[in-house]
Amino acid sequence: MIGMSAVEWLEPRSLEEALDLRARYGEDATVVAGGTFLGILMNQGFLRPVRLLALRGVLDLDSINQENEGLVLGAMATHRVVERSGMVREGWPALAHAFSVVASPRVRNQATVGGVLADADYASDPPAMLAALDARVVVAGSGGRREIPVADFILDHYTTSLEEDELVVEVRVPGRARRAVYRKFRSRSSEDRPCVSVAAAEVGGGLRVVVGAVAGRPQYFPEACALAESGRTEPDLADEIARRYAEAIEPISDARGSARYRRRVVAVEVRRALEDLYRE
Amino acid sequence: MSDPRVTGELRYSQDIELEGMLHARILRSPHPHARISRVDASAVPEDVVVLVPHDVRDLGYYGCQIKDQTVLAQEKVRYAGDPVAAVAATTPERAEEALDLIEVDYEELPAVFDAAEAAADGPLVHEEIKLSENDAAYFGLRPQQGTNVCHRFRIRHGDIESGFGEADVVVEETYFTAGAQHAPMEPHAALARWEGDGLEVWTGSQTPFNTRMDLAGIFGIPEEKVRIVCPPMGGSFGAKTFVRLEAIAACLARKAERPTKIVLDRDEEWLTLNRHPATLKVKLGAKRDGTLVAKRVECWANTGAYADCGPGVAQKMGFASPGPYRIPNVWVDSHAVYTNLPPNGAYRGYGQMQCTWASERTIDLLAEKLEMDPLELRLKNILKDGDRYCTGEIMHDVHFAELLQRAADAVRWNENRHGKGLCVMLKGMQTPSRASIAVEASDNGNYTVLCATAEMGQGARKAIRLMAAELLGVEVEKVGFPDPDTDAVPYDTRTTSSRSTHMMGRALEKAVEDLRKNGRRGYGEVVDEGGLDPDTGQGVASSHWHQGAAAAEVEVDKETGRFSVKRLHAPVYAGRVINRPGAELQNEGSMIMGVGTALFESVNFSEGQVSNANLSDYCVPAAGDMPEVLTHELVEGERAEVHGLGETALPPVPPAIGNALHSLGINITGLPITAESVLDAIDRRDEERTRSTLPSQEEPATEGVAGKNGARRTYAVAFGISLGALVVGLLLRSRRIAAAKRLVPRRLAR
Amino acid sequence: MKVPLVVNGERVAVEARPDEMLLGVLRREFGLLSVRETCGIGVCGACTVLVDGEPVSACLLLTPLAAGRDITTVESLGGDHPVQRAFVEAEAFQCGYCTPGMILTAKRLLEEMPEPSEEEIKTYLGGNLCRCGCYVKIIEAVKLAAAESYPLREVSGT
């Protein structure tokens, strides 16, 4: 039917209230964090929400704290706040960098930590870096809280393991990574989204390499990373890990590069990321 | 002193409003070629005005060169995006919702997308090709009835067979350039109103008089009954030419009996007009000493589902393809070809970029084969004053050698040529053409210039006001220049091909002289005669020539194929400069647009549907995409004519970059030069070096996945995963987001 | 719904649909036509406004999210703002469609970095597209504005 079907705006003031609404409406209420991805979907005509559940009024969701050596990013903290936070820049500079290279200052002023994870867009920068740092997504729902590694939270293109009654409340990054790097490879404009991105970090003595923008979810291969503990040395090691990543990934094709091309770039960029990492 | 552009006060076409106006939206075909079997708009509520094919079937055909368009598709649709119906409502949102209520059934037909294929043997896009009476059909059109070729232009100069017979060295290559989107910041916008049997249209347009002619033809009314007003445009670059939305807006306004406005959504820009994708086959022969003896060129300009000005584009592509060289034997066949892609038309240079790419890349291939310096080869054959071009006309006021040398000097060509490339270009200006202008004096010492030249950011108004002020001997603030209005201004061909400052400047001199004689109002007119015989290419291609050159220096990441332009320099012949900052802006803007064309701009298709119709999947150059050093020169001549500069610095950019890559053994034939295509070319180079006994000059680029051959057209492969993935992802994410039809691009539903 | 906004210093409660972007509301309800739609996906910057002093794409900002916040458009700068003067002096525009967004973004850039390098300007303004390709002169204009000893930490909306 044609007509101005009224859209309902829900703006809870507390997390409990938000979770109640989430449990009541499930997917009938579209969750609004910063609203950038949602705005794109709505403007493109992909989505016409009937009810909007905004988290802007929920207290304390936008804080950034340090807890037992680890970093806690509130779901509603914007990209710009993360990238400019002294705490993040000091302890997790590669993470600050990954947030700082997202789109433009405009988008980063709006887009949030929780949003970028819950949207699960394959070409976003932060998820790969967070996964490499072994970060965990803390979600709250009717059944209480649970923690999901970022690498398991994003399942596929725009698909997460978030349940219909759950909300992302924070992201926990474990203690300072001794070394970490993020490389964003663009095949076209300097403003383009990545064709291939590589995040690499040494966490708890182990190496974690995560490749983004090449598949439905960030790509992490622990067996290949385990080679770092085999006692092999640079540059042989970086080459070998990169080769294994290029072999293991089944890349997508899009306007930024074919699958064949992406596979080659993965081999180069993973190696370069490791070279950067060991140079640090 | 402020400027309405920095205060945000400048009003564009899309800002114009009339009391009681309605907002329109267009329903478009999702199929590239299909018969329309049913259109049912009965579900649309009464307060929304609907226009269906039946409503407009008695109206006239239109088209600026070929009469092949109807206001809405009749019987069949010819591209994915072809307008099938339109609605007008009190708000854009209500109109948008009403579109969903129109049902259209189609029977799909076989479609053709490649121009060479369509020219040879493809399903017919139009059964019959009828010529237009519009002024824009000013040259002898040669449609090939019963084929998809809507115009064929030829040059026959000398004897091509014996020419190649004399050649010691011959090179041959086929080139492909992708379609591009103008992407003006302001979308197309038009507002139409009927007053009795008279039609008024406010539209961002470079062609007020051509638009008036076609609209009068559609409605079967005298031209004087149609008034076109052209507010400033937020960019155009050729996109806002001829009839685009004006006819649909006018039909809705007539049916609604209320003013009706259409502003396109961004994605619709890709469905309205793009730049011609082109295939060019070039064969070039020379003596051992580098003297050019013969050139054979075949062009296929893919004009899409409707000809628009494709015949003119093909003709210009053809007559400029020999380049600024003395070549005794020239053979050119250039075709404008219908396909089932969205229409392609004027785009900053009008076929020039495509033929310059092919022509100037071939010069470097020849230089390589001759083992000659590409600069030396060019200079040896370059056209000078008094030389005869292959069209038979004598060249005058030409500066190709100087421009080329200046380009070479800027990159220190004489020191080494590694990673450097050159290009030189001759470009015609609309010929024949006519411009007229009036100058009116008022009592308070102010003057008003009445002129059809449209402002799209190129600074034409400022240039014309400056010229008028100089001629009148008054401050520029004393000279007013209202929006072009066909009821008030004298006739002009159109604001295209960088002709306005040159033509209007000359007409203005006469007008001011006339004003001195007559006191209140002066009128001036200039007519440039000329034109070419379409079957032989003989005559006058251009009453004067735009001349430009470029030099580029690149650095390549051998492992990823990603390269950067370290330096780009473009000298152009300006003749006499009127507005220096404006001239500089034109050059810089042209060069930056040229960088986009060279590096990444490409309209991608998937089964005829544009797969990157948004400014994320389609990139336009950003500040960070500028070459590290971007410089240019305005070469001036004493007592020289004014030369338009709107397009001159664009076409030389991609070949200069392509040739810079070529100097590294990276041979690219397709535009844009994607990182992927560079990597493929590096593979081919390295394979050849390995195969040959010659020692490799550089270490191998990279190891890993084996390379492949013939990647010439890899860039043309269209995927559109972003959109596709989004659709699939959303379906997975929520099955409740309405029906699947909501998830296909808007307005392509059903 | 009624949404309380502070637009160019003025407190107003405006009637808007909750699913409506701020861009449309600013144009329709306030006649602020310097805020312009080009891409509709937050890529181009033609609809840049300052929200509490920070640049945001009005095409992606749901109106209720702007409730109670300070919204600045180029109309409020008056025409004599140092960045505007610099743009005029450098002739850093052609069609002018992107110019208001450029100016607002440059204004914020200079508050954050009073003496930005060319690279910093290119990066910060990278997300503001100018299809006419005026970047050379835009960068010049930002440098000019910076050189005019742009006041540090200027309050937004002046």
Side-chain angles (χ1 to χ4, degrees):
Chain A
M1 264 312 288
I2 198 163
M4 294 297 171
S5 42
V7 177
E8 196 180 348
W9 180 262
L10 305 169
E11 197 174 307
R13 311 310 291 181
S14 70
L15 186 60
E16 292 66 39
E17 200 189 331
L19 289 170
D20 278 352
L21 290 165
R22 180 80 168 136
R24 189 183 323 154
Y25 295 116
E27 299 235 336
D28 287 341
T30 304
V31 177
V32 182
T36 48
F37 182 62
L38 187 60
I40 292 170
L41 295 183
M42 289 168 66
N43 289 344
Q44 297 285 301
F46 288 134
L47 187 64
R48 292 179 193 173
V50 292
R51 195 172 283 109
L52 293 160
L53 173 55
L55 302 181
R56 78 189 288 257
V58 177
L59 290 176
D60 298 332
L61 269 189
D62 59 355
S63 58
I64 297 179
N65 296 302
Q66 220 164 329
E67 254 182 54
N68 316 321
E69 295 298 296
L71 177 70
V72 185
L73 301 174
M76 289 296 284
T78 65
H79 285 38
R80 282 269 279 168
V81 166
V82 175
E83 106 196 37
R84 299 173 76 190
S85 147
M87 196 189 296
V88 182
R89 288 162 78 120
E90 167 69 24
W92 292 266
L95 183 63
H97 173 67
F99 275 96
S100 78
V101 294
V102 172
S104 62
R106 296 188 311 278
V107 168
R108 300 200 299 277
N109 276 324
Q110 222 186 310
T112 62
V113 171
V116 75
L117 289 166
D119 298 336
D121 188 301
Y122 73 105
S124 292
D125 298 285
M129 189 71 244
L130 286 166
L133 291 169
D134 199 18
R136 275 137 210 285
V137 186
V138 179
V139 304
S142 334
R145 291 187 174 220
R146 58 187 183 115
E147 269 190 32
I148 311 148
V150 169
D152 300 331
F153 179 76
I154 296 172
L155 300 175
D156 202 346
H157 288 289
Y158 311 103
T159 312
T160 67
S161 56
L162 196 68
E163 296 295 330
E164 279 199 16
D165 63 345
E166 287 177 326
L167 291 169
V168 175
V169 290
E170 64 195 29
V171 178
R172 293 180 164 262
V173 188
R176 296 177 181 220
R178 207 156 55 87
R179 295 156 152 173
V181 294
Y182 180 73
R183 290 180 62 92
K184 179 171 187 171
F185 177 83
R186 298 174 179 93
S187 58
R188 306 185 300 176
S189 167
S190 57
E191 290 299 313
D192 201 3
R193 308 190 76 197
C195 170
V196 171
S197 66
V198 182
E202 278 190 356
V203 180
L207 173 70
R208 293 174 66 91
V209 175
V210 179
V211 178
V214 294
R217 59 192 295 196
Q219 300 287 295
Y220 170 50
F221 298 98
E223 307 77 30
C225 294
L227 288 175
E229 286 142 55
S230 66
R232 290 167 74 166
T233 51
E234 263 286 309
D236 189 33
L237 174 68
D239 266 344
E240 181 59 19
I241 294 174
R243 196 185 59 75
R244 293 203 182 192
Y245 264 80
E247 262 173 24
I249 291 169
E250 286 297 332
I252 53 147
S253 288
D254 69 6
R256 294 166 189 92
S258 70
R260 188 179 66 89
Y261 178 68
R262 276 194 157 93
R263 197 184 286 278
R264 285 187 68 168
V265 174
V266 166
V268 176
E269 284 293 307
V270 168
R271 192 201 75 226
R272 288 177 178 173
L274 292 173
E275 286 167 1
D276 290 351
L277 189 76
Y278 292 124
R279 204 178 295 130
E280 282 219 332
Chain B
M1 182 197 77
S2 201
D3 185 295
R5 287 169 286 192
V6 302
T7 55
E9 287 164 315
L10 191 66
R11 294 291 171 260
Y12 302 89
S13 316
Q14 75 161 37
D15 299 325
I16 310 277
E17 299 200 335
L18 288 175
E19 179 102 33
M21 77 178 190
L22 300 179
H23 300 267
R25 283 284 185 269
I26 299 168
L27 185 72
R28 298 171 181 276
S29 162
H31 304 294
H33 201 188
R35 207 158 287 292
I36 302 169
S37 49
R38 187 179 70 103
V39 180
D40 181 356
S42 55
V44 177
E46 272 181 13
D47 67 298
V48 178
V49 179
V50 192
L51 200 69
V52 295
H54 182 81
D55 295 318
V56 297
R57 96 192 138 155
D58 294 331
L59 298 178
Y61 276 69
Y62 72 95
C64 59
Q65 293 179 344
I66 306 280
K67 256 188 171 175
D68 55 10
Q69 282 196 268
T70 47
V71 177
L72 296 171
Q74 301 291 316
E75 290 169 22
K76 70 172 188 175
V77 290
R78 294 178 172 86
Y79 72 96
D82 212 350
V84 181
V87 296
T90 46
T91 66
E93 294 75 24
R94 192 159 174 78
E96 187 71 47
E97 287 184 343
L99 284 186
D100 282 352
L101 303 173
I102 303 172
E103 287 188 24
V104 184
D105 292 339
Y106 300 95
E107 293 162 37
E108 288 189 60
L109 297 167
V112 63
F113 308 118
D114 178 79
E117 196 183 312
D121 169 37
L124 281 187
V125 180
H126 294 269
E127 282 68 31
E128 196 194 342
I129 306 171
K130 284 172 285 188
L131 301 190
S132 171
E133 295 99 47
N134 194 296
D135 271 8
Y138 59 92
F139 51 94
L141 284 146
R142 292 289 182 273
Q144 308 294 299
Q145 298 291 351
T147 78
N148 284 317
V149 176
C150 60
H151 178 55
R152 186 191 65 198
F153 169 76
R154 291 182 153 171
I155 298 178
R156 297 294 183 264
H157 173 68
D159 182 339
I160 196 70
E161 295 302 322
S162 66
F164 279 113
E166 285 172 45
D168 298 317
V169 176
V170 174
V171 290
E172 203 170 351
E173 187 55 272
T174 302
Y175 303 88
F176 192 92
T177 63
Q181 162 57 213
H182 310 74
M185 300 297 285
E186 183 204 23
H188 283 83
L191 168 60
R193 168 171 78 181
W194 289 86
E195 290 283 330
D197 59 351
L199 171 63
E200 290 175 289
V201 183
W202 288 260
T203 179
S205 176
Q206 300 175 231
T207 61
F209 283 96
N210 300 120
T211 301
R212 184 175 79 159
M213 272 172 233
D214 266 358
L215 287 174
I218 289 167
F219 294 105
I221 54 179
E223 281 182 35
E224 295 67 39
K225 287 282 184 190
V226 182
R227 174 184 177 214
I228 309 287
V229 184
C230 299
M233 286 167 265
S236 177
F237 318 107
K240 297 167 183 172
T241 45
F242 311 113
V243 172
R244 299 272 165 253
L245 327 169
E246 294 84 353
I248 294 175
C251 288
L252 282 166
R254 190 157 75 161
K255 193 166 177 185
E257 298 178 0
R258 281 169 78 172
T260 300
K261 176 156 110 172
I262 307 185
V263 180
L264 286 191
D265 270 348
R266 182 52 48 179
D267 58 328
E268 293 180 288
E269 292 290 329
W270 279 263
L271 307 178
T272 301
L273 200 76
N274 297 307
R275 182 182 69 201
H276 286 77
T279 306
L280 294 101
K281 222 170 131 178
V282 182
K283 185 177 170 186
L284 182 62
K287 295 279 203 192
R288 175 56 55 200
D289 70 354
T291 307
L292 299 178
V293 289
K295 187 168 188 180
R296 187 185 193 280
V297 184
E298 273 183 282
C299 315
W300 292 271
N302 186 333
T303 204
Y306 299 99
D308 198 77
C309 61
V313 168
Q315 179 144 333
K316 187 165 177 192
M317 203 183 284
F319 79 65
S321 67
Y325 304 107
R326 286 184 307 274
I327 313 175
N329 305 289
V330 175
W331 184 104
V332 177
D333 261 20
S334 187
H335 309 89
V337 188
Y338 284 129
T339 63
N340 295 109
L341 294 184
N344 296 302
Y347 187 111
R348 207 169 196 173
Y350 210 71
Q352 184 71 46
M353 190 287 295
Q354 294 93 324
C355 72
T356 305
W357 168 251
S359 178
E360 285 293 289
R361 285 288 297 110
T362 307
I363 294 279
D364 272 40
L365 294 183
L366 181 66
E368 184 181 37
K369 210 160 174 184
L370 287 165
E371 294 178 3
M372 205 171 160
D373 177 344
L375 173 63
E376 193 191 330
L377 175 62
R378 284 181 171 85
L379 288 174
K380 188 177 178 66
N381 296 284
I382 204 103
L383 284 173
K384 301 198 171 73
D385 274 347
D387 281 344
R388 194 176 288 276
Y389 189 51
C390 61
T391 53
E393 64 207 273
I394 303 289
M395 305 305 286
H396 57 89
D397 197 21
V398 295
H399 304 262
F400 299 113
E402 182 190 352
L403 296 170
L404 189 55
Q405 190 62 55
R406 283 172 183 263
D409 291 348
V411 292
R412 293 198 290 273
W413 183 264
N414 56 350
E415 287 174 19
N416 73 72
R417 313 203 295 260
H418 198 71
K420 298 171 185 172
L422 298 174
C423 173
V424 60
M425 169 208 76
L426 107 168
K427 176 184 162 295
M429 187 191 73
Q430 170 78 39
T431 303
S433 81
R434 178 156 74 92
S436 46
I437 194 165
V439 182
E440 288 178 356
S442 62
D443 293 331
N444 53 10
N446 288 338
Y447 295 88
T448 304
V449 170
L450 295 167
C451 170
T453 297
E455 180 60 47
M456 49 192 148
Q458 86 279 39
R461 279 192 202 190
K462 184 172 176 191
I464 290 169
R465 286 175 64 218
L466 282 168
M467 288 188 288
E470 193 188 325
L471 290 164
L472 293 162
V474 298
E475 296 293 306
V476 70
E477 289 72 29
K478 297 270 184 196
V479 182
F481 189 146
D483 287 348
D485 174 345
T486 55
D487 274 8
V489 302
Y491 176 85
D492 175 49
T493 299
R494 54 194 154 270
T495 309
T496 58
S497 78
S498 306
R499 63 182 281 283
S500 297
T501 315
H502 172 73
M503 294 293 288
M504 283 300 176
R506 287 160 55 206
L508 191 61
E509 285 179 24
K510 296 188 175 188
V512 171
E513 207 174 299
D514 188 40
L515 178 78
R516 293 230 163 85
K517 279 184 215 147
N518 297 324
R520 301 297 291 185
R521 181 185 166 101
Y523 173 79
E525 180 179 318
V526 289
V527 178
D528 277 5
E529 304 290 357
L532 295 173
D533 179 332
D535 303 313
T536 63
Q538 300 304 294
V540 176
S542 187
S543 55
H544 85 175
W545 293 95
H546 296 145
Q547 304 156 49
E553 205 176 330
V554 300
E555 196 175 278
V556 183
D557 175 350
K558 288 183 289 181
E559 290 186 293
T560 63
R562 172 121 182 126
F563 64 99
S564 60
V565 182
K566 310 305 274 185
R567 180 182 288 271
L568 188 64
H569 182 72
V572 303
Y573 183 58
R576 187 161 69 88
V577 175
I578 302 296
N579 167 20
R580 192 161 301 276
E584 288 171 2
L585 283 163
Q586 283 302 302
N587 263 2
E588 289 159 9
S590 292
M591 291 170 78
I592 289 165
M593 208 173 233
V595 167
T597 282
L599 268 54
F600 42 69
E601 290 193 42
S602 167
V603 180
N604 297 338
F605 295 95
S606 175
E607 290 166 37
Q609 285 209 9
V610 181
S611 61
N612 58 344
N614 62 70
L615 286 176
S616 173
D617 292 325
Y618 184 99
C619 292
V620 301
D625 296 319
M626 284 199 298
E628 275 176 32
V629 180
L630 182 146
T631 52
H632 59 95
E633 285 173 82
L634 300 163
V635 176
E636 296 173 68
E638 260 181 67
R639 284 192 296 280
E641 288 184 311
V642 173
H643 278 59
L645 294 169
E647 306 156 312
T648 314
L650 190 162
V653 169
I657 294 172
N659 286 339
L661 290 165
H662 189 91
S663 75
L664 304 172
I666 300 165
N667 187 15
I668 300 290
T669 53
L671 284 178
I673 310 168
T674 61
E676 186 162 356
S677 70
V678 170
L679 195 56
D680 286 336
I682 289 173
D683 287 349
R684 289 197 300 274
R685 174 193 72 181
D686 293 343
E687 271 172 35
E688 274 165 35
R689 281 183 182 169
T690 315
R691 231 184 288 124
S692 71
T693 50
L694 289 169
S696 176
Q697 286 168 8
E698 285 174 78
E699 59 195 25
T702 182
E703 299 185 356
V705 187
K708 72 178 265 292
N709 313 316
R712 187 170 294 157
R713 292 192 187 174
T714 46
Y715 71 90
V717 178
F719 290 99
I721 182 81
S722 322
L723 206 64
L726 189 58
V727 171
V728 172
L730 285 170
L731 276 170
L732 288 171
R733 184 158 148 161
S734 167
R735 289 184 192 87
R736 299 191 201 188
I737 305 172
K741 69 184 180 194
R742 285 274 167 81
L743 300 170
V744 302
R746 174 155 59 156
R747 254 173 275 74
L748 292 180
R750 259 163 248 138
Chain C
M1 66 189 289
K2 277 265 186 237
V3 183
L5 299 173
V6 184
V7 178
N8 292 332
E10 203 184 319
R11 287 181 182 282
V12 206
V14 69
E15 192 58 45
R17 282 166 57 105
D19 61 346
E20 205 174 354
M21 301 303 163
L22 185 66
L23 168 61
V25 174
L26 291 177
R27 286 181 67 90
R28 186 191 66 228
E29 299 294 324
F30 296 90
L32 295 168
L33 302 185
S34 72
V35 192
R36 297 165 183 147
E37 178 160 355
T38 290
C39 71
I41 53 173
V43 166
C44 74
C47 68
T48 303
V49 296
L50 299 179
V51 176
D52 293 339
E54 296 280 356
V56 161
S57 293
C59 75
L60 294 185
L61 188 63
L62 286 164
T63 308
L65 291 184
R69 300 171 78 180
D70 217 323
I71 296 149
T72 306
T73 72
V74 90
E75 278 88 350
S76 72
L77 301 188
D80 202 33
H81 188 278
V83 178
Q84 288 176 310
R85 283 207 309 270
F87 267 69
V88 174
E89 195 178 332
E91 302 217 21
F93 39 69
Q94 290 187 50
C95 77
Y97 200 85
C98 70
T99 312
M102 287 282 180
I103 287 171
L104 292 173
T105 308
K107 177 178 180 290
R108 180 59 189 150
L109 161 67
L110 293 173
E111 286 162 10
E112 280 183 48
M113 293 180 243
E115 287 174 287
S117 69
E118 184 150 337
E119 273 319 297
E120 284 167 335
I121 299 171
K122 282 185 186 173
T123 305
Y124 203 97
L125 290 181
N128 285 74
L129 300 176
C130 169
R131 186 53 160 167
C132 299
C134 303
Y135 300 126
V136 173
K137 293 191 171 19
I138 290 168
I139 292 165
E140 219 173 283
V142 177
K143 285 182 184 166
L144 261 176
E148 263 193 69
S149 56
Y150 191 84
L152 273 162
R153 302 260 169 273
E154 197 194 26
V155 183
S156 66
T158 51

